[in-house]
């Protein structure tokens, strides 16, 4: 229904305050929001019951998830300025890498892997010729230094006859600090240090190390002195402070796909020093020069300078619960393999027990002693641990999970051991995983999903029907597919449902957390940065508002909804592929009465089709064929965007590649459509996905694969909002897409410390929401502190512009019943003091 149809309309059942408002008997509050033109206002009512007892909200309700993706660690939160400091970059990390990536050589230098190395886990070192020098380019545009600030240089070096190193810091405009001369003694490896004070500010710095005589170098490092709370080996201050400002209840780390991909072997001679390993915590503790680097799943190297000790310490610094994730020996993220090695499984289970000892054990214990030697004799008070991440093989995963849980329960019965439900919000993997978790009475299950803003607006009630006596939910990863304010609005609306169901949803974290703008593998992301600046997305501002105003208990409340009429599904038809070559033939579209709308047997050309995706399409032997097996969305479309109530029939044949084929309907444009994804997810399942503004969500899914060379008959029947799908003449499934995307959502909580009622309202529509609020007899002060996020739906925060930022004001019209107009496209929190 259009906004004009809803203007100033008062629905039945709004309550006494709304009736008074409609009759003009309640005075309009003195608030800027109520200055909106009456033609742009929709009426609502919120009724609060302060006498009822809602769900208790734990202090740990909202947290953050840190994964080293988008250069979040090296070149990001980890403050080290030198890239490839130990010359360990390898083609195993990225096919473009060499051991001298990020370095340039003046003179002679080569990277050596022999018995003269610094230690067995730090395999490579640099052999630098007499009179030669190497220069490091850092990250992004170079080293960021600020005038007057100190920077600590260190290097491990050895020289047969001794030498003098000349270390300088400069950019294209000249020197950035006075050069330092470092005397290296004759003999074996030793660590040498120097300090620079920047004479001017630059984001384009270069670090150069030269030697008067032949020398070996390793672990070349430059750290800003001004790091977050700790140095050396500290964290970049502005990024750490952005996390601290959220006051997160927990920090989940280190992944993500880093945890359950690659080899599960250790880094040793016995395993051949494998570089593509899962993230294993013992690689990441102890002195940084002894930590083994690793290939990062996201296509670069990870130094492990930011390791488990630093994660634990950071969680402690920001007052958050640490929540580590360990591998379950079932790979995911497209690899999907169960590791069958009982001895290796037992070793990983023991590693997990050792991790708990590292975190909590006394200094007299083996791993507690390691923690103490690193500078933290007191325990880190670990209470939660997660086994596995997004496994697509639920039965194989759960067989292993139970062994981890049994071992942890036997030795550390106070630990909460968290399982997971796979990579999606629904489907066969999700259903199987949840049943296994329920049957085994698992404490908590981690759910992950990345869906469209519409999905989040439609599914506010997702957890209303969850079993109150079953496993609790950890929503460990979620996002709505973008960083515009409309994404933040949809997530905020959804978060009201999370809080309302705080007895089921115990933990929740948006993901991913960080993205370096020059090294992006995944969008969207909560905080963006480069080498000299960081900025908060609209999604961050939403998370911060919720995290800093959680409350201790839900106060039950209800609100009227937005009237809505659902038109039939409309749109053209389309064909596509994903990393696959496929052939299509005999496309027929008929209306509900059987009248032809489109027919194409490709006996001629393909002029009826518009190519909007990637790939390479051509007519071959009477079929329309896409031949590029690397292209990921090759959409071609035909027909009219106003079509509705039709049948689409097509023959499809997979020729080669990783997946199957994609048949689209309801195609409005490149970002808005439905498609039947047959043989998707590595040819493991089929699903109908809906794309809204480019963000996709799954509507129905089943396990299944597509055979190469076999012709399939596909029939999609669209009637109103219902779609029925047939494969080779048999009904495959159906769905009805009629769930309203409600733009007006609310939740009310109580802050026990202050006594405040916190009324949280999301208005994700282009008209203001004039709302009658009835506090159910609560005695309240007349003034409320108001925090508002508002802006254009497409507004995006950048390094130089912050259109979405909180505005704090005071509202003086609070009473037992009052009206408040929530601005269009806004998230508003009213903190109301109870007398």
């Amino acid at each position: 229904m259009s906004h004009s149809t809803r203007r100033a309309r008062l629905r039945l059942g709004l309550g006494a305050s709304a009736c008074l408002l409609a009759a003009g008997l309640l005075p309009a509050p003195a608030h800027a929001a109520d200055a909106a033109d009456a033609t742009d206002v929709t009426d609502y009512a919120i009724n609060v019951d302060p006498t009822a007892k809602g769900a208790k909200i734990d202090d740990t309700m909202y947290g953050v998830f840190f994964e080293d993706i988008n250069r979040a660690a090296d070149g990001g939160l980890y403050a080290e300025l030198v890239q490839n400091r130990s010359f360990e970059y390898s083609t195993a990390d990225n096919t473009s890498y060499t051991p001298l990536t990020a370095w340039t050589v003046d003179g002679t230098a080569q990277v050596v892997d022999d018995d003269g190395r610094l230690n067995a886990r730090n395999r490579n070192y640099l052999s630098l010729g007499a009179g030669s020098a190497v220069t490091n380019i850092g990250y992004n545009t170079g080293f960021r230094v600020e005038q007057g600030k100190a920077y600590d240089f260190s290097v491990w070096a050895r020289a047969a006859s001794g030498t003098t190193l000349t270390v300088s810091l400069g950019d294209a405009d000249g020197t950035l600090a006075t050069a330092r001369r470092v005397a290296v003694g004759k003999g074996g490896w030793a660590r040498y240090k120097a300090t620079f004070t920047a004479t001017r500010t630059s984001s384009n710095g270069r670090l150069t190390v030269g030697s008067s005589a032949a020398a070996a170098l390793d672990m070349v490092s430059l750290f800003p002195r001004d790091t977050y709370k700790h140095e050396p080996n500290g964290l970049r201050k502005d990024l750490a402070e952005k996390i601290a400002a959220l006051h997160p209840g927990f920090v989940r780390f280190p992944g993500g796909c880093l945890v359950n991909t690659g080899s599960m072997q250790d880094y040793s001679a016995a395993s051949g020093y494998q570089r593509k390993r899962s993230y294993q915590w013992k690689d990441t503790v102890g002195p940084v020069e002894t930590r083994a680097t690793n290939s990062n799943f996201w296509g670069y190297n990870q130094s492990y300078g930011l390791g488990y000790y630093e994660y634990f310490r950071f969680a402690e610094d920001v007052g958050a619960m640490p929540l580590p994730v360990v591998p379950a020996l079932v790979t995911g993220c497209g690899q999907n393999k169960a590791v069958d090695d009982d001895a290796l499984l037992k070793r990983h289970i023991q590693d997990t027990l050792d991790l708990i000892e590292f975190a909590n054990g006394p200094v007299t214990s083996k791993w507690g002693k390691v923690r103490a030697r690193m500078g933290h004799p007191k325990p880190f008070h670990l209470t939660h641990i997660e086994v596995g991440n997004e496994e697509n093989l639920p039965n194989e995963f759960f067989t292993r999970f139970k062994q981890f849980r049994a071992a942890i329960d036997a030795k550390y019965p106070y630990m909460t051991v968290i399982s997971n439900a796979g990579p999606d919000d629904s489907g066969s993997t999700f259903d199987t995983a949840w049943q296994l978790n329920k049957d085994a009475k698992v404490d908590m299950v981690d759910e992950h999903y990345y869906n469209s803003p519409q999905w989040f607006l439609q599914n506010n009630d997702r957890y209303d029907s969850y079993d109150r006596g079953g496993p609790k939910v950890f929503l460990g990863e979620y996002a709505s597919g973008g960083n515009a304010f409309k994404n933040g609005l949809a997530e905020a609306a959804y978060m009201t449902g999370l809080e309302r169901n705080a007895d089921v949803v115990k933990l929740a974290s948006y993901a991913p957390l960080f993205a370096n703008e020059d090294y992006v593998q995944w969008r969207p992301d909560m905080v963006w940065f480069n080498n000299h600046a960081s900025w908060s997305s609209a999604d961050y501002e939403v998370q911060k508002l919720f995290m800093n105003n959680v409350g201790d208990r839900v106060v039950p409340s209800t609100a009227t909804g937005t009237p809505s009429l659902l038109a039939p599904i409309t749109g053209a038809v389309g064909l596509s592929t994903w990393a696959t070559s496929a052939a299509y033939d005999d496309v027929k579209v008929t209306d509900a009465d059987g009248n032809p709308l489109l027919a194409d047997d490709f006996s001629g050309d393909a002029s009826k089709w518009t190519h909007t995706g990637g790939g390479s399409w051509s007519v071959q032997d009477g079929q329309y064929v896409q031949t590029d097996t690397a292209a990921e969305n090759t959409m071609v479309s035909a027909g009219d965007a106003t079509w509705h109530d039709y049948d689409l029939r097509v023959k499809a044949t997979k020729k080669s590649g990783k997946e199957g084929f994609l048949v689209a309907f309801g195609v409005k444009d490149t970002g808005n459509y439905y498609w039947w994804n047959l043989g998707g997810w590595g040819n493991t399942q089929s699903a109908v996905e809906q794309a809204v503004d480019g963000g996709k969500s799954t509507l129905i899914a089943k396990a299944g694969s597509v055979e190469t060379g076999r012709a399939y008959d596909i029939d999609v029947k669209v009637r109103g909002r219902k779609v029925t799908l047939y494969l080779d003449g048999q009904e495959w499934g159906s769905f009805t897409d009629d769930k309203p995307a409600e733009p007006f959502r609310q939740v009310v909580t109580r802050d026990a410390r202050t006594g405040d009622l916190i009324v949280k309202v999301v208005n994700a529509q282009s008209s203001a929401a004039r709302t009658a609020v009835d506090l159910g007899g609560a005695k309240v002060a007349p003034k409320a502190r108001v925090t508002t996020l508002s802006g254009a739906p497409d507004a995006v925060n950048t390094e130089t512009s912050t259109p979405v930022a909180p505005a704090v004001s005071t509202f003086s019209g609070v009473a037992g019943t009052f009206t408040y107009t929530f601005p269009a496209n806004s998230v508003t929190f009213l903190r109301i003091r109870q007398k």
Side-chain angles (χ1 to χ4, degrees):
M1 181 179 281
S2 68
H3 294 303
S4 60
T5 311
R6 297 201 308 266
R7 286 171 186 162
R9 177 178 176 182
L10 186 67
R11 300 182 70 206
L12 294 175
L14 296 191
S17 56
C19 295
L20 291 171
L21 171 63
L25 300 178
L26 279 179
H31 193 266
D34 282 305
D37 191 296
T39 61
D40 293 324
V41 174
T42 303
D43 287 316
Y44 294 89
I46 294 174
N47 291 285
V48 183
D49 185 356
T51 64
K53 196 171 185 180
K56 182 181 182 298
I57 307 173
D58 294 342
D59 293 340
T60 52
M61 174 75 183
Y62 295 122
V64 294
F65 165 45
F66 182 93
E67 179 177 10
D68 187 0
I69 184 174
N70 310 312
R71 283 282 189 196
D74 296 334
L77 183 62
Y78 186 49
E80 173 67 80
L81 298 177
V82 178
Q83 184 178 176
N84 190 17
R85 65 182 177 186
S86 60
F87 309 100
E88 297 289 333
Y89 275 28
S90 162
T91 54
D93 310 324
N94 188 297
T95 55
S96 67
Y97 281 0
T98 75
L100 280 171
T101 292
W103 295 92
T104 58
V105 177
D106 181 8
T108 60
Q110 62 177 333
V111 175
V112 180
D113 175 4
D114 65 15
D115 291 342
R117 64 179 64 88
L118 181 59
N119 60 67
R121 293 166 67 79
N122 194 331
R123 308 293 292 169
N124 292 346
Y125 65 93
L126 184 75
S127 176
L128 187 63
S132 300
V134 287
T135 298
N136 191 267
I137 64 172
Y139 298 94
N140 300 95
T141 56
F143 288 70
R144 167 69 175 184
V145 297
E146 296 180 37
Q147 183 176 355
K149 291 195 172 181
Y151 297 84
D152 293 321
F153 168 82
S154 66
V155 64
W156 283 82
R158 62 175 169 81
S161 303
T163 188
T164 298
L165 302 180
T166 301
V167 188
S168 58
L169 194 58
D171 62 11
D173 295 326
T175 61
L176 291 168
T178 302
R180 294 287 184 258
R181 293 170 64 82
V182 177
V184 175
K186 183 170 70 171
W189 289 103
R191 187 170 184 236
Y192 300 90
K193 302 178 183 179
T195 297
F196 292 99
T197 300
T199 54
R200 57 186 175 86
T201 297
S202 175
S203 296
N204 308 300
R206 301 289 187 267
L207 177 74
T208 299
V209 181
S211 181
S212 60
L217 307 179
D218 206 345
M219 295 296 291
V220 183
S221 174
L222 188 70
F223 259 87
R225 179 76 58 81
D226 187 19
T227 55
Y228 183 74
K229 294 201 173 184
H230 301 279
E231 55 90 16
N233 208 50
L235 304 181
R236 179 170 151 174
K237 195 170 185 179
D238 63 325
L239 297 183
E241 286 176 343
K242 277 189 165 53
I243 302 175
L246 295 170
H247 296 107
F250 64 88
V251 177
R252 177 179 182 249
F253 62 90
C257 287
L258 302 187
V259 169
N260 67 336
T261 54
S263 169
M264 299 293 165
Q265 299 289 341
D266 63 0
Y267 192 61
S268 66
S271 64
Y273 293 104
Q274 294 185 41
R275 286 294 297 273
K276 288 180 176 289
R277 309 184 309 284
S278 64
Y279 197 111
Q280 299 175 47
W281 77 271
K282 289 180 180 178
D283 287 343
T284 76
V285 297
V288 291
E289 68 272 10
T290 66
R291 301 183 190 180
T293 70
N294 196 12
S295 171
N296 182 299
F297 174 82
W298 298 107
Y300 51 89
N301 177 273
Q302 50 192 342
S303 73
Y304 288 149
L306 175 57
Y308 257 74
Y309 175 76
E310 289 75 25
Y311 285 127
F312 277 124
R313 190 176 61 182
F314 180 61
E316 182 180 70
D317 288 342
V318 299
M321 175 181 79
L323 203 167
V325 186
V326 297
L329 273 71
V330 178
T331 58
C333 302
Q335 297 182 2
N336 301 336
K337 180 183 178 183
V339 180
D340 290 318
D341 184 331
D342 192 56
L344 187 59
L345 175 63
K346 285 183 169 59
R347 194 268 286 174
H348 274 268
I349 291 172
Q350 184 59 51
D351 281 355
T352 302
L353 297 175
D354 291 346
L355 171 60
I356 299 170
E357 182 176 285
F358 174 78
N360 295 348
V363 295
T364 54
S365 66
K366 176 182 177 181
W367 291 102
K369 186 180 298 183
V370 172
R371 182 193 70 241
R373 281 202 304 264
M374 295 184 73
H376 201 287
K378 292 183 179 179
F380 284 117
H381 306 294
L382 179 66
T383 59
H384 290 61
I385 194 164
E386 183 172 356
V387 178
N389 171 75
E390 292 188 9
E391 280 72 24
N392 249 322
L393 303 172
N395 290 296
E396 292 85 343
F397 160 73
F398 207 73
T399 297
R400 291 155 179 78
F401 171 84
K402 288 189 295 184
Q403 295 181 63
F404 277 87
R405 185 177 67 162
I408 295 169
D409 283 350
K411 191 167 184 179
Y412 301 104
Y414 61 85
M415 293 292 298
T416 296
V417 185
I418 303 172
S419 179
N420 75 82
D424 297 303
D425 62 89
S426 60
S428 57
T429 296
F430 179 88
D431 292 340
T432 301
W434 255 108
Q435 192 60 54
L436 290 166
N437 285 307
K438 285 180 180 178
D439 291 346
K441 298 184 176 1
V442 167
D443 292 331
M444 190 176 290
V445 178
D446 189 0
E447 293 188 354
H448 295 177
Y449 37 84
Y450 298 90
N451 291 324
S452 67
Q454 177 167 302
W455 185 94
F456 283 93
L457 292 175
Q458 288 176 321
N459 286 277
N460 179 273
D461 63 349
R462 175 181 176 90
Y463 297 107
D464 290 0
S465 59
Y466 270 49
D467 179 3
R468 274 31 215 176
K472 302 307 181 184
V473 172
F474 172 21
L475 180 49
E477 298 183 32
Y478 71 99
S480 69
N483 279 144
F485 188 42
K486 62 186 176 187
N487 300 101
L489 285 168
E491 291 151 6
Y494 193 71
M495 292 170 79
T496 65
L498 299 183
E499 289 193 7
R500 186 176 65 252
N501 290 285
D503 57 327
V504 169
V505 182
K506 306 305 287 184
L507 308 168
S509 50
Y510 178 101
L513 177 58
F514 283 128
N516 185 320
E517 66 173 353
D518 293 332
Y519 309 92
V520 180
Q521 294 87 43
W522 185 281
R523 300 171 186 267
D525 304 285
M526 193 156 70
V527 175
W528 290 78
F529 65 92
N530 51 36
N531 65 350
H532 62 275
S534 58
W535 54 99
S536 305
S537 68
D539 314 74
Y540 173 93
E541 296 298 346
V542 165
Q543 295 291 325
K544 184 178 179 182
L545 187 55
F546 273 84
M547 288 194 201
N548 283 280
N549 296 276
V550 180
D552 302 279
R553 188 174 291 278
V554 174
V555 180
S557 63
T558 58
T560 50
T562 305
S564 177
L565 292 178
L566 291 170
I569 292 173
T570 60
V573 298
L575 309 170
S576 189
T577 60
W578 196 283
T580 301
S581 172
Y584 295 94
D585 200 2
D586 295 332
V587 179
K588 295 178 182 177
V589 183
T590 55
D591 66 17
D593 297 323
N595 300 311
L597 298 175
L598 172 71
D600 202 337
D601 63 2
F602 303 108
S603 57
D605 57 25
S607 57
K608 297 177 183 178
W609 298 84
T610 301
H611 186 188
T612 56
S616 178
W617 288 88
S618 61
V619 175
Q620 300 178 17
D621 300 324
Q623 295 181 312
Y624 202 17
V625 183
Q626 197 293 115
T627 55
D628 187 347
T629 56
E632 291 192 333
N633 182 359
T634 66
M635 179 82 83
V636 292
S637 60
D640 193 320
T642 64
W643 282 354
H644 61 90
D645 296 293
Y646 58 77
D647 290 351
L648 163 62
R649 298 180 179 87
V650 61
K651 289 186 180 294
T653 306
K654 173 181 176 177
K655 298 176 74 69
S656 62
K658 296 179 180 179
E659 303 206 345
F661 23 79
L662 300 154
V663 176
F665 53 96
V667 179
K668 292 182 171 59
D669 52 47
T670 56
N672 295 275
Y673 54 85
Y674 301 81
W675 67 21
W676 190 3
N677 185 349
L678 288 141
W681 294 269
N683 204 17
T684 61
Q685 64 176 309
S686 299
V688 176
E689 297 176 280
Q690 181 184 18
V692 179
D693 294 335
K696 289 198 291 290
S697 54
T698 300
L699 303 181
I700 181 174
K702 295 182 179 181
S705 59
V706 168
E707 298 175 25
T708 301
R710 174 185 164 188
Y712 290 84
D713 289 318
I714 295 168
D715 183 0
V716 180
K717 186 184 296 291
V718 182
R719 295 292 185 273
R721 303 297 300 181
K722 183 176 181 180
V723 178
T724 309
L725 307 114
Y726 299 86
L727 186 63
D728 290 335
Q730 301 296 312
E731 184 174 331
W732 177 86
S734 66
F735 67 92
T736 302
D737 181 24
D738 62 355
K739 200 168 188 180
E742 173 59 61
F744 186 84
R745 298 291 189 186
Q746 103 297 333
V747 71
V748 180
T749 64
R750 179 181 285 111
D751 186 331
R753 183 180 61 83
T754 63
D756 290 351
L757 287 176
I758 312 172
V759 179
K760 312 174 188 184
V761 177
V762 181
N763 182 28
Q765 60 186 328
S766 59
S767 59
R770 183 171 50 211
T771 305
V773 181
D774 186 338
L775 296 178
K779 304 299 183 184
V780 294
K783 292 184 179 181
R785 184 176 186 269
V786 183
T787 307
T788 306
L789 290 172
S790 63
D794 292 326
V796 176
N797 290 349
T798 68
E799 180 182 354
T800 57
S801 175
T802 311
V804 182
V808 179
S809 61
T810 301
F811 173 58
S812 300
V814 179
T817 58
F818 64 96
T819 60
Y820 190 95
T821 298
F822 297 95
N825 301 308
S826 67
V827 183
T828 306
F829 281 28
L830 290 85
R831 293 193 72 112
I832 301 171
R833 183 63 54 87
Q834 292 190 90
K835 291 183 178 178

